[in-house]
Amino acid sequence: QVQLGESGGGLVQAGDSLRLSCAASGRTFTNYAMAWFRQAPGKEREFVAAINGSGGGTRYSDSVKGRFTISRDNAENTVYLQMNSLKPEDTAVYYCAARWGGVYAYTGGYNYWGQGTQVTVSS
């Protein structure tokens, strides 16, 4: 099992950048694929980005591709989401997620979740 805790959210203006962090517990962190999801008010939770166990493979939703970068530091049991050129449409609660199986940057099947961190982008 793994416990996740997100941080780094806040209120920014359009065009600004933020870096979210997700600290994970456990001694088998590299065996988990990690991902970021987000949920805007009144909307379903949607996939944002994923990274495989080694960090060598990533996937992004079309809406954030080219603007967001997911990375991980396995020595620190931490995954990051660097968000650049933020838009008001990026406003949401961002959740860190994990699933067993580190071969692929999976876009679904995650069953461990953090508490979420709020990102608000004003125009």
Side-chain angles (χ1 to χ4, degrees):
Q1 69 274 16
V2 59
Q3 295 183 53
L4 309 173
E6 305 98 328
S7 63
L11 174 62
V12 299
Q13 296 185 66
D16 285 353
S17 297
L18 276 177
R19 188 177 76 160
L20 306 183
S21 298
C22 175
S25 66
R27 60 178 182 173
T28 57
F29 184 59
T30 58
N31 290 329
Y32 290 86
M34 303 293 295
W36 290 94
F37 291 76
R38 67 187 182 186
Q39 187 167 21
K43 305 293 184 181
E44 295 293 321
R45 184 173 56 194
E46 67 172 347
F47 169 79
V48 175
I51 188 167
N52 70 349
S54 70
T58 58
R59 294 181 66 88
Y60 300 92
S61 68
D62 289 340
S63 62
V64 308
K65 193 174 300 180
R67 298 188 298 121
F68 291 9
T69 302
I70 188 171
S71 62
R72 65 194 294 164
D73 185 343
N74 288 339
E76 297 292 333
N77 278 21
T78 303
V79 63
Y80 303 96
L81 185 68
Q82 177 66 47
M83 304 184 294
N84 298 328
S85 302
L86 282 162
K87 306 174 180 180
E89 307 94 273
D90 296 318
T91 295
V93 176
Y94 283 71
Y95 296 93
C96 180
R99 59 162 286 168
W100 182 260
V103 175
Y104 301 107
Y106 300 96
T107 59
Y110 291 87
N111 55 349
Y112 299 98
W113 299 89
Q115 82 287 348
T117 185
Q118 177 71 47
V119 173
T120 303
V121 184
S122 66
S123 58

